[in-house]
Amino acid sequence: MNRLLALILIMFSANSSKAVNLVLDVDVPQSVDSSALLAGINGFCSDLADENFDGVWCLPADKACSMPQFEILCDELQKAVEDTNVRVSIVDIAPLTADTCLVQLSIVNAVSAQLLSLYEIVATKLEGRYLFSSVLSRNMKAMQTVGCEGINVYFNNDADRLLAERYVETALSFDRKFGAIHPANAFLCENGTSLMQMFRLLGINYLRDAVGSSWPMVDFEYPDVAFYFYTNRYKDEGIDSHDLFHSRASLAIESDAVNSYMVCGGGYVYGGSWGMSWNEIKSKFKANMKYDAETDWLKLYFERFNFGDSKEKHLLITQFVNALIIEQVEAEQGFDAVVKLLSSGNMNKERQRFFNILESVTGINEHNFNAKVCELIEKTMKF
C-alpha cells in the first residue's frame, strides 16, 4: 500500500508547477482517506512552494491564524524546490476526529541527513478533500484571552492578565493616534525561553535557522491582522512600548513611505527605549552629550551618532532629534502632522524629499537645520 501511495505522491509532484520532493515515511492509518489526504498534502505543499501562493488548500475558517506558520513553511519549501538534496517527508499522521488528523512534515538535507525543520499541521476533510491549517488556532482556544476592538492578547497564567490588559490599552492608544484600529493577536509565551520554544505554539517543532536565537519576540504582519509572539522575557522586561509603537506604525503607514528613523524617534517619545522613559533619555543626553554653539548637528544626525552608554544599548542623535521634533509638532499641530513626518520616506535615499516634507511641517530645512535643532535642544535642556 505504501508503495502505491508513494507513487501517487510522485505523480502529483511531477504535474505541479513547483515540484516538491515529497516522500511518505509512515503508514497511513486505516481510518484516514489516504488518497484524498496525500493528494491534499501534495497540493498544499506545491501551492506553498509556488511564488504565487494563493492559499486554495488552506482551511478558510483558520486561514488567518495559519499564515505565520505557513509563511515560514513556504520559505522552507521554496528552498527545497531549488535544492534537489532537500527532502520533504510525511513522518507522522495521527487521527484527531473522524474528519481531522495531525500531519507531521520534516524537511531534511538528504546528503548530510541534517534536519532543517519539522512542522505539525492539521488536515481537515471538507466536501471530499483535505484542507490544511496551523495548530495555532487549536492552541488559542486553550489559552486565556483579553481583548478590545480586535486587539487580543493570549496567555496561560492569571498573573499575566494585568500585563495583557495594559498591552491592549497601549496598542489601542497608538492605533487611535493613527486614526484606525488594526486587528492583532499577541501571545505571551510563559514557557517559551527561546524563539524556538515559542515557535512550537505555531506548530513549528524545529527550525534550524531559529536555534540559538535570543530575540524576545517575533511578529507577522498582514493586511487584515497582525500576530506578535513574546518569549517569557516579558516577565522580567514587560512589553516594550517602543517596539509596539514601531509595530503599530508599520501597519498604519505604507511600507515605502515609512521613515524608520522618524518612527524610532516617535518610539522614544511614546515608549522610551531600553527600559528608559523619554524624560530619562533626555537626562542621559544631558549627562553624556558634549556640545556647543558650533556643533554640527546635521553631520551627527546623518552619521547617527551614539550618545548612549554602550553600543548595545545605543541612543542615537538621529532618533533623539526626531523625538524632539515630534514632541513639538504634536503639541503645536496635532498627531496628523506627526504622521506626515513618520511618512517622509528613506531620508538617506530620498534626502531632498525628506527635507521637503520636514520643512513643510516644521520649517526646518537642510540650511537652517543646525540652528533650529540647537534651539530645540536648548529649550529641552532647561528641564
Side-chain angles (χ1 to χ4, degrees):
M1 182 64 175
N2 278 352
R3 287 187 178 183
L4 174 60
L5 296 178
L7 178 60
I8 290 172
L9 287 175
I10 293 169
M11 290 171 62
F12 275 99
S13 294
N15 292 328
S16 65
S17 59
K18 289 287 185 177
V20 176
N21 182 17
L22 191 59
V23 178
L24 180 66
D25 278 344
V26 65
D27 290 332
V28 181
Q30 291 184 349
S31 61
V32 174
D33 183 343
S34 57
S35 296
L37 176 63
L38 296 173
I41 293 172
N42 191 80
F44 169 70
C45 288
S46 296
D47 189 31
L48 277 179
D50 197 303
E51 294 176 357
N52 299 313
F53 167 63
D54 56 15
V56 295
W57 291 94
C58 296
L59 185 68
D62 289 340
K63 185 173 181 179
C65 292
S66 298
M67 290 312 298
Q69 182 195 31
F70 290 177
E71 179 180 328
I72 293 174
L73 178 55
C74 178
D75 290 340
E76 293 296 301
L77 287 173
Q78 287 179 3
K79 293 175 187 175
V81 167
E82 303 301 326
D83 187 348
T84 56
N85 292 325
V86 174
R87 186 180 72 180
V88 183
S89 299
I90 305 168
V91 294
D92 192 36
I93 300 172
L96 298 173
T97 68
D99 295 317
T100 63
C101 57
L102 193 64
V103 177
Q104 194 170 83
L105 296 176
S106 73
I107 300 181
V108 176
N109 184 307
V111 175
S112 65
Q114 183 179 37
L115 179 65
L116 304 178
S117 52
L118 185 65
Y119 304 86
E120 285 184 335
I121 57 176
V122 178
T124 301
K125 194 174 184 182
L126 193 65
E127 297 180 354
R129 70 170 186 156
Y130 279 92
L131 300 177
F132 301 88
S133 58
S134 168
V135 298
L136 178 61
S137 179
R138 298 169 65 88
N139 289 333
M140 289 167 66
K141 293 172 183 176
M143 301 177 76
Q144 298 184 58
T145 182
V146 297
C148 183
E149 297 185 54
I151 297 178
N152 304 293
V153 179
Y154 293 84
F155 56 98
N156 290 312
N157 195 318
D158 283 336
D160 292 330
R161 180 171 294 277
L162 181 58
L163 178 62
E165 291 172 349
R166 288 176 180 169
Y167 184 101
V168 172
E169 291 171 4
T170 304
L172 282 174
S173 71
F174 290 154
D175 279 8
R176 286 168 181 151
K177 280 181 175 292
F178 286 105
I181 307 299
H182 293 273
N185 295 308
F187 299 83
L188 306 182
C189 307
E190 65 170 344
N191 296 319
T193 59
S194 67
L195 187 61
M196 190 60 260
Q197 287 180 313
M198 185 170 57
F199 272 160
R200 292 193 178 103
L201 190 65
L202 299 171
I204 302 172
N205 292 345
Y206 179 80
L207 183 65
R208 185 187 61 173
D209 292 344
V211 173
S213 173
S214 61
W215 282 100
M217 67 86 69
V218 63
D219 58 6
F220 300 86
E221 295 176 346
Y222 307 105
D224 297 326
V225 65
F227 296 84
Y228 305 102
F229 299 87
Y230 296 87
T231 67
N232 66 0
R233 281 169 57 178
Y234 72 84
K235 288 186 173 294
D236 298 321
E237 302 172 6
I239 300 297
D240 193 328
S241 296
H242 177 109
D243 289 343
L244 188 54
F245 180 78
H246 269 274
S247 297
R248 306 318 285 174
S250 70
L251 294 172
I253 303 170
E254 293 292 334
S255 59
D256 58 353
V258 171
N259 181 326
S260 59
Y261 302 133
M262 195 65 75
V263 171
C264 199
Y268 277 18
V269 175
Y270 306 117
S273 188
W274 305 116
M276 290 180 282
S277 68
W278 172 220
N279 282 335
E280 288 171 329
I281 293 173
K282 291 178 182 178
S283 296
K284 187 67 69 174
F285 175 89
K286 190 172 186 178
N288 289 1
M289 191 66 194
K290 307 301 179 186
Y291 61 93
D292 55 34
E294 302 302 316
T295 298
D296 190 342
W297 294 110
L298 184 64
K299 180 174 183 289
L300 296 177
Y301 184 83
F302 277 92
E303 288 181 350
R304 302 183 68 214
F305 183 83
N306 178 20
F307 65 88
D309 292 333
S310 67
K311 183 178 180 180
E312 290 72 24
K313 294 189 176 183
H314 52 72
L315 295 170
L316 305 180
I317 287 295
T318 317
Q319 281 88 312
F320 183 75
V321 169
N322 288 342
L324 294 177
I325 292 171
I326 287 170
E327 187 176 45
Q328 178 170 289
V329 167
E330 184 174 20
E332 296 177 353
Q333 303 178 48
F335 195 76
D336 285 349
V338 172
V339 172
K340 294 179 182 178
L341 298 176
L342 303 179
S343 308
S344 55
N346 187 316
M347 70 177 197
N348 292 310
K349 293 182 178 179
E350 301 175 289
R351 184 165 173 145
Q352 189 56 54
R353 177 177 180 273
F354 162 66
F355 274 110
N356 288 343
I357 294 173
L358 183 64
E359 184 173 25
S360 71
V361 175
T362 68
I364 299 173
N365 57 46
E366 196 159 0
H367 303 292
N368 66 15
F369 189 89
N370 284 341
K372 292 289 187 180
V373 168
C374 187
E375 289 176 13
L376 274 174
I377 291 173
E378 289 298 327
K379 178 182 177 181
T380 300
M381 291 302 104
K382 290 179 181 179
F383 76 96

